[in-house]
Amino acid sequence: MSNRRLTNHIVVITGASGGIGREMAMLAASQGALPILIARSLDKLKEAQRVIKEHYQIEADVHSLDISDLDAIQDVFTAILKKHGHIDVLINNAGFGIFDYFTDATLKDIKSMFDVNVVGLMACTRMAVPHMIERRSGHIINIASIAGKLATPKSTVYSASKHAVLGFTNGLRMELEDQGVQVTAVNPGPIRTNFFHIADPEGGYTASVNRFMIEPEHVASKVIAAIGTKKREINLPWTMSTGSRLYQLFPRLVEAIAGGLFKMK
């Protein structure tokens, strides 16, 4: 018998036009949820909407949105809440990275990463949380990164943005723990998606970490399974998670032993 545990749940997913965002939307729909898909590409959103309708007989809602546009975020979430009444789950998945040495990074790129990865994520959360508190029910899931725990050369700015996401997520979790709202951080390592078309256009890093890459379907399954639970963090894969924990305990030793691996970009 199919798993319909998310029947009638309103699940908002940013960055839903591809990669793990699209996979999470499909999996949520397969479990009976109504996915609300947000991304910049309306064409890709409509294609995901069509597939969901065809496979699961659910009419997903789609909204074209640039997560760096704070006014547009307010407009879109206001429209969602007016139409659907509430949000059960917000998965903040939208984000991007540009791998470059800090001295070569442009201020425009630095600002863009923080505008999307941090400020935009916070703005989306700010629109959803008050209504969740009012209902004493809801789940915020923030897609951060192992890079937020273990920074490496050429991911300096990206890692800083994801470190900010983790700090925000941990603080928010404690603020909301008595309000009936769950907060989960997801920290994946490299995922086999189009993320690296922007982050690593020359393909050197992608080739060097290919054996460590995880499939988007695997990440999506872990995230959707966590909905409605008190899961604090999801760290994938276990090898990189273990490495980040060791780094927090023994940073100098880990840098000495694994410094070459860190510089594979």
Side-chain angles (χ1 to χ4, degrees):
M1 185 173 70
S2 62
N3 181 354
R4 307 288 291 180
R5 74 181 187 92
L6 298 181
T7 296
N8 297 326
H9 280 56
I10 307 297
V11 180
V12 177
I13 305 171
T14 69
S17 60
I20 63 172
R22 190 177 191 276
E23 292 297 332
M24 289 188 292
M26 297 297 164
L27 191 53
S30 76
Q31 297 185 17
L34 172 61
I36 300 178
L37 313 183
I38 294 175
R40 289 185 300 176
S41 174
L42 188 58
D43 288 344
K44 291 180 180 179
L45 290 175
K46 287 184 174 179
E47 173 59 17
Q49 182 186 50
R50 183 194 66 78
V51 173
I52 289 171
K53 177 69 172 179
E54 178 182 334
H55 286 208
Y56 308 112
Q57 294 72 56
I58 291 173
E59 193 71 47
D61 199 2
V62 300
H63 296 268
S64 176
L65 174 64
D66 180 348
I67 296 294
S68 67
D69 187 336
L70 300 184
D71 290 335
I73 287 174
Q74 182 169 346
D75 291 344
V76 166
F77 275 81
T78 297
I80 290 170
L81 289 163
K82 182 177 180 180
K83 180 176 180 179
H84 299 282
H86 69 278
I87 295 170
D88 293 296
V89 183
L90 170 61
I91 304 178
N92 284 307
N93 172 64
F96 78 101
I98 298 173
F99 291 165
D100 214 344
Y101 290 113
F102 179 69
T103 51
D104 295 328
T106 67
L107 291 177
K108 180 180 178 181
D109 286 345
I110 292 170
K111 183 176 184 300
S112 293
M113 273 186 272
F114 272 83
D115 283 347
V116 173
N117 297 356
V118 183
V119 181
L121 177 148
M122 289 180 176
C124 292
T125 305
R126 184 65 181 80
M127 291 298 299
V129 162
H131 303 276
M132 292 181 174
I133 292 174
E134 184 178 341
R135 299 177 71 242
R136 294 194 63 81
S137 176
H139 199 155
I140 303 293
I141 300 177
N142 293 331
I143 309 299
S145 173
I146 286 291
K149 294 187 172 186
L150 180 55
T152 56
K154 295 184 77 174
S155 68
T156 305
V157 176
Y158 176 72
S159 294
S161 73
K162 291 302 186 177
H163 188 71
V165 171
L166 283 173
F168 169 67
T169 304
N170 290 336
L172 185 67
R173 182 187 301 110
M174 289 187 282
E175 286 187 10
L176 300 179
E177 62 184 353
D178 297 325
Q179 306 287 340
V181 182
Q182 305 301 323
V183 182
T184 301
V186 182
N187 303 308
I191 307 171
R192 205 178 304 280
T193 68
N194 290 338
F195 170 88
F196 292 102
H197 291 178
I198 296 174
D200 178 42
E202 295 181 359
Y205 175 71
T206 305
S208 65
V209 301
N210 183 63
R211 65 187 184 277
F212 299 116
M213 281 196 175
I214 46 182
E215 299 300 327
E217 297 85 353
H218 178 62
V219 180
S221 68
K222 296 293 186 181
V223 174
I224 298 303
I227 290 176
T229 73
K230 294 184 178 182
K231 191 81 172 176
R232 184 180 185 278
E233 282 190 353
I234 300 170
N235 298 291
L236 301 166
W238 71 267
T239 49
M240 287 191 172
S241 175
T242 300
S244 70
R245 290 174 183 172
L246 288 173
Y247 183 74
Q248 289 168 347
L249 293 171
F250 311 107
R252 189 184 299 274
L253 178 62
V254 172
E255 286 178 3
I257 295 174
L261 290 174
F262 293 165
K263 297 176 182 178
M264 285 196 300
K265 298 186 193 69

